[in-house]
Amino acid sequence: MSAGLDRAPLRVEDRGGYILATLDRPEKRNAIDQDLIDALHDLCGRLEAAPQTLVLRGEGGTFAAGADIAQLRDRRAADARAGINTRAFMRIAALPMPVIAVVDGYALGGGAELAYAADIRVGTQSLKIGNPETGLGIIAAAGATWRLRELVGEPLAAEILLAGRILDAPEAQAAGLITHLHDDGDAALAAAEKIAGRIAKLDPAATQATKRVLRAPRDAHPQIDLAEQAILFESPEKIRRMTEFLERKQAK
């Protein structure tokens, strides 16, 4: 049996305050194939039913070097319309709690689009991220054409998508695509775990409401903000947390 065929493509660990999911196809540089997409859907089902923060990483010093080209070559028009990767990444982006991507090494094509679907991205010095799809005769159709413009602005998004520009780590951080940059994957994962730990201390209902508002289209504001705030204003957890805050302040 060849390497990788006897293990699941996605390794999922419950770390208490968050879920750590590791893309585990290092022999293929974590290329995104149908089995991995199916595993991501299974993970989404779990996190939709029992919301937790998700930390996504890749095994072997690579986040995901793209889609599995052997499978992609055989796909036809019906597969494109089915949005195989698109729907999985949309589901990742819509998870109730925050998604943190640890982007180490290559994050290209579909790998980049999976990273774009996260709420927070932590990178390493070896990071290379971008969308070279047009060189393969296709477009970046799993989220890059709308998410990347919102993340880095239209001029840079155009160069990445139309000219195949690949950003290195300093460029990705300067563009705001990566908010933290670390020496290696272990340090980046530790930083992501620290962020997940901070989130775990916050009110889950308020965090989920904030994510819904943050992801809402511009014309939904301010109505969605006020509606979510109205629900939270009636929350016993809001009263408890604010009472504790005032008591701590008075005790000083």
Side-chain angles (χ1 to χ4, degrees):
M1 183 175 289
S2 62
L5 293 181
D6 57 346
R7 67 170 181 267
L10 187 68
R11 192 169 71 246
V12 179
E13 305 168 59
D14 190 336
R15 296 292 184 90
Y18 65 96
I19 296 293
L20 175 63
T22 303
L23 280 61
D24 197 11
R25 302 184 73 215
E27 71 286 350
K28 297 289 187 180
R29 295 197 299 178
N30 301 321
I32 299 169
D33 67 351
Q34 185 64 60
D35 287 342
L36 183 51
I37 289 295
D38 292 343
L40 288 171
H41 277 298
D42 289 343
L43 175 60
C44 286
R46 171 178 173 175
L47 294 176
E48 289 159 356
Q52 285 182 273
T53 295
L54 172 62
V55 176
L56 270 174
R57 64 180 290 271
E59 185 61 61
T62 295
F63 181 68
D68 190 302
I69 302 301
Q71 286 190 6
L72 201 58
R73 182 184 59 185
D74 293 336
R75 290 178 182 170
R76 296 296 183 262
D79 299 305
R81 294 189 180 96
I84 295 170
N85 290 6
T86 306
R87 297 187 190 284
F89 299 167
M90 289 178 71
R91 205 170 172 189
I92 290 283
L95 285 172
M97 290 290 283
V99 178
I100 306 168
V102 179
V103 192
D104 186 17
Y106 287 105
L108 301 175
E113 291 178 300
L114 177 56
Y116 302 156
D119 300 292
I120 299 166
R121 283 161 296 278
V122 178
T124 68
Q125 295 289 350
S126 65
L127 170 66
K128 301 288 185 184
I129 188 167
N131 293 92
E133 281 90 342
T134 53
L136 294 170
I138 59 173
I139 69 170
T145 55
W146 73 88
R147 289 198 183 99
L148 191 55
R149 178 174 55 190
E150 296 170 355
L151 291 169
V152 303
E154 189 163 345
L156 181 54
E159 187 173 356
I160 292 169
L161 293 168
L162 299 177
R165 178 177 171 183
I166 306 300
L167 302 183
D168 62 19
E171 290 171 331
Q173 186 176 38
L177 191 56
I178 299 294
T179 52
H180 299 265
L181 198 56
H182 299 274
D183 289 338
D184 55 37
D186 290 341
L189 177 58
E193 290 173 330
K194 186 174 181 181
I195 296 170
R198 289 205 306 268
I199 293 169
K201 296 177 182 178
L202 307 176
D203 175 21
T207 301
Q208 292 176 43
T210 299
K211 180 166 178 175
R212 287 191 295 270
V213 171
L214 183 63
R215 292 284 185 170
R218 178 65 181 86
D219 60 5
H221 301 280
Q223 291 81 5
I224 188 172
D225 307 66
L226 305 181
E228 293 283 2
Q229 191 77 302
I231 294 170
L232 292 171
F233 269 20
E234 299 293 334
S235 164
E237 182 65 8
K238 169 247 188 179
I239 301 298
R240 185 189 72 79
R241 285 174 175 264
M242 290 192 176
T243 299
E244 286 186 357
F245 174 85
L246 292 172
E247 289 173 349
R248 287 197 303 270
K249 188 174 180 180
Q250 291 170 358
K252 290 182 178 179

